[in-house]
Amino acid sequence: MMLDNFVDSIQAYTELKEISIRSVFGGKGVLSNGVMFALIKGNKLYLRAPNSKFKDEFSQLGCTPYEFHWRSSSRNYPSLSSYYSIPEAVKHCDKQIAQLCEEVWSVGLEEKKRKETPTRIKDLPNMQYKTERMLRKAGIHSIDELREQGPVNAYKAVCGSHDKQPGINLLFYIAGALEGIHWSILPETLRETLSRQASSDYLTH
């Protein structure tokens, strides 16, 4: 019943959409558009602290983190989650709790986007740490620099900075990475165009 009432208040007092429930940490996680913002265990509600700022604020308000246990064949391992009990000041006000949930969700969404956004070349499709090192040796140190150079110039830079030529597939890896796709689904016409632009002097099969 508490879960139903909580979801009703979220829908009544916030703009959060696509509310869903997931079993997690021995309780019920409450999500909006795939981002979890609250946890219900029994008759207790916990709000997510999506970053260190929220953790500090919740701790200063006297909120306590939810403790869960990882089970192995031999023992339980207690662990503190990033979900905190409701601040006493808003404990009995459904509207304030719902609005705090919306704030928590908004920050959680930004954190999710930040984590999902590649920050290094190796995080792009087709790229690996080895590829990132090759590009760095060629003077390309960031995703922005890779985009600025484009696949052909980046490929040529690698070829010019290494004694052993990397092979034509590297050109396709880079092109796919910049498109956000696996290199194997690059259109054949595009591969041919890239190969011509890269010049046969650099192509080794």
Side-chain angles (χ1 to χ4, degrees):
M1 180 63 70
M2 179 183 181
L3 179 58
D4 293 338
N5 291 340
F6 175 67
V7 171
D8 287 344
S9 68
I10 292 296
Q11 293 174 332
Y13 298 121
T14 75
E15 298 297 321
L16 298 181
K17 306 296 182 184
E18 297 186 23
I19 303 299
S20 59
I21 310 300
R22 177 188 301 167
S23 294
V24 63
F25 298 145
K28 298 294 183 181
V30 186
L31 304 83
S32 172
N33 288 301
V35 177
M36 187 167 161
F37 60 89
L39 172 71
I40 292 179
K41 173 68 173 178
N43 63 350
K44 292 185 178 180
L45 173 65
Y46 300 85
L47 299 185
R48 181 185 175 196
N51 57 24
S52 57
K53 177 176 177 291
F54 269 94
K55 287 182 180 180
D56 291 342
E57 290 180 356
F58 282 152
S59 296
Q60 291 171 9
L61 291 171
C63 305
T64 55
Y66 172 68
E67 182 177 298
F68 63 100
H69 294 261
W70 294 109
R71 290 184 174 86
S72 72
S73 58
S74 59
R75 56 171 292 185
N76 290 340
Y77 295 86
S79 181
L80 298 179
S81 72
S82 58
Y83 291 81
Y84 286 72
S85 57
I86 296 295
E88 195 66 32
V90 301
K91 196 171 185 178
H92 303 292
C93 180
D94 289 347
K95 184 175 182 179
Q96 286 183 289
I97 292 175
Q99 291 173 340
L100 182 55
C101 284
E102 190 166 28
E103 183 180 353
V104 164
W105 176 87
S106 179
V107 175
L109 179 63
E110 291 303 314
E111 286 292 305
K112 181 181 179 183
K113 289 179 179 178
R114 182 183 63 80
K115 290 179 179 179
E116 290 178 347
T117 301
T119 57
R120 289 181 54 175
I121 291 173
K122 71 177 182 63
D123 299 324
L124 294 171
N126 315 311
M127 299 288 101
Q128 301 175 354
Y129 182 62
K130 177 182 177 181
T131 322
E132 183 181 72
R133 282 189 302 170
M134 293 172 65
L135 288 164
R136 282 182 175 176
K137 186 177 179 180
I140 301 171
H141 299 87
S142 69
I143 294 175
D144 286 342
E145 290 177 355
L146 184 61
R147 292 191 188 283
E148 184 178 345
Q149 290 295 322
V152 173
N153 288 336
Y155 176 75
K156 286 183 175 181
V158 171
C159 291
S161 62
H162 289 73
D163 294 332
K164 183 178 179 181
Q165 299 305 294
I168 184 60
N169 279 347
L170 177 63
L171 175 63
F172 303 146
Y173 294 162
I174 297 172
L178 293 177
E179 292 293 331
I181 60 175
H182 192 272
W183 71 273
S184 64
I185 62 176
L186 287 171
E188 187 62 34
T189 53
L190 176 58
R191 294 193 209 183
E192 293 174 356
T193 299
L194 290 171
S195 298
R196 286 197 303 270
Q197 291 175 345
S199 162
S200 59
D201 292 341
Y202 290 103
L203 303 186
T204 59
H205 298 272

